[in-house]
Amino acid sequence: MGRISTNNEPCSGHPVEVTPPEITEKNHKIILADRRVKVREVAESIRITTERIRNILNEHLTMKKLCARWVPRLLAPNQKQRRKDVSADCLAHYRRNPTEFLRPFITVDETWFHLYTPETKQQSRQWTKKREPPKKAKTVASASKVMATIFWDARGIIFIDYLQKGKTVSGEYYATLVQRLQQEIKVKRPDLPKKKVQFHQDNAPVHTSVIAMATIHELKFELVPHPPYRPHLAPSHFHLFPNLKKWLCSKRFMTTSKQQIVILKISTNRCITPV
């Protein structure tokens, strides 16, 4: 009665809750001590509601609970420093001569090729009517396979070696492949001997064996260091092998010799983009 203003006036209600800094700090210490602790356990320890704990975690500490992510290896401090040094060296080398950085760069890696690789779920998608799920018989990859060691650079494949059945890749075997690489370079890259070949390989035990390292040193190749425990950073894994296996997927081969011919044609013509 008697009001003449149309503005809302303050009214009674539930007061705004204020979280004391010491409660937030205590909550933070509990979380840091055990990253897997449950909200209920934190609430019982501090003696406040679970809703308040969630508010502190989300609004004040900006934290949320996620599933753990698998990593290849938990690195030691010296290994982390090694990664940093390798990245800095490669970046400095690129900045010295960006246009010619990839010319003398040769990389190598091994991979398995099956005679038959089933198509993925993404590749087997079909148009269907409502409530008519597509059916597909379950298949497994062919047990017959061949290992290929591929040497390549920015201009294409230099050569591919296929491991004979029943044999394994050893340091001596890999050293003979490196020696063969020098002969292939003279034929397919005659301009490279004038420069120092920058040779890249990962840190597999076969690659870093005594006989393999001695051969690389004897040939006077400049070895490009590879970060420890980072196999997915090898150029073959994010450029050559995915494209190559994409073209081979869902194709059937009766013998490894026919497969090897197709691999060579595809890798030479489609998987490498000249620079």
Side-chain angles (χ1 to χ4, degrees), residues 168-187:
T168 58
V169 178
S170 61
E172 184 177 359
Y173 176 82
Y174 180 70
T176 59
L177 296 183
V178 177
Q179 291 175 344
R180 179 183 166 188
L181 172 64
Q182 186 187 37
Q183 302 301 323
E184 296 288 344
I185 289 176
K186 292 180 180 179
V187 176

Side-chain angles (χ1 to χ4, degrees), residues 9-39:
E9 296 181 357
C11 58
S12 61
H14 193 279
V16 178
E17 295 185 1
V18 178
T19 304
E22 57 270 17
I23 296 296
T24 302
E25 183 64 23
K26 189 174 182 179
N27 196 341
H28 195 200
K29 289 182 179 179
I30 294 175
I31 295 297
L32 294 180
D34 184 6
R35 297 276 183 167
R36 298 184 179 182
V37 67
K38 299 179 180 178
V39 173

Side-chain angles (χ1 to χ4, degrees), residues 50-199:
T50 56
E51 290 78 9
R52 199 69 200 143
I53 293 296
R54 289 192 176 91
N55 179 266
I56 294 173
L57 291 173
N58 297 333
E59 301 297 332
H60 297 268
L61 299 177
T62 62
M63 300 179 72
K64 58 182 178 179
K65 204 169 189 179
L66 297 177
C67 296
R69 180 180 179 183
W70 286 105
V71 294
R73 186 183 178 92
L74 295 177
L75 299 180
N78 62 326
Q79 294 171 333
K80 293 180 180 180
Q81 183 62 40
R82 176 62 177 164
R83 284 190 180 184
K84 180 180 178 182
D85 295 340
V86 169
S87 301
D89 291 342
C90 292
L91 184 60
H93 185 75
Y94 170 78
R95 288 174 174 173
R96 283 197 298 268
N97 195 349
T99 57
E100 295 293 327
F101 175 72
L102 291 178
R103 291 292 179 182
F105 188 94
I106 297 176
T107 185
V108 59
D109 212 338
E110 300 89 4
T111 188
W112 286 102
F113 293 107
H114 292 266
L115 292 184
Y116 167 61
T117 304
E119 61 184 7
T120 63
K121 290 184 178 180
Q122 183 74 11
Q123 294 170 328
S124 62
R125 292 187 304 171
Q126 307 174 18
W127 289 107
T128 62
K129 295 182 179 180
K130 190 176 182 180
R131 297 179 182 179
E132 183 188 359
K135 295 181 180 180
K136 179 183 176 183
K138 185 176 181 180
T139 57
V140 295
S142 170
S144 299
K145 58 184 180 180
V146 60
M147 172 175 279
T149 303
I150 305 179
F151 294 82
W152 62 286
D153 61 4
R155 283 175 279 183
I157 300 293
I158 298 178
F159 83 92
I160 302 178
D161 178 82
Y162 299 99
L163 184 67
Q164 295 182 5
K165 190 175 182 179
K167 292 188 177 182
T168 58
V169 178
S170 61
E172 184 177 359
Y173 176 82
Y174 180 70
T176 59
L177 296 183
V178 177
Q179 291 175 344
R180 179 183 166 188
L181 172 64
Q182 186 187 37
Q183 302 301 323
E184 296 288 344
I185 289 176
K186 292 180 180 179
V187 176
K188 298 181 179 179
R189 305 289 186 269
D191 58 314
L192 283 186
K194 301 176 183 179
K195 305 175 182 179
K196 200 167 187 178
V197 174
Q198 297 174 12
F199 186 63

Side-chain angles (χ1 to χ4, degrees), residues 202-221:
D202 59 24
N203 298 320
V206 173
H207 297 167
T208 57
S209 61
V210 176
I211 185 172
M213 297 299 291
T215 303
I216 294 173
H217 179 73
E218 180 183 353
L219 297 176
K220 297 182 180 181
F221 288 170

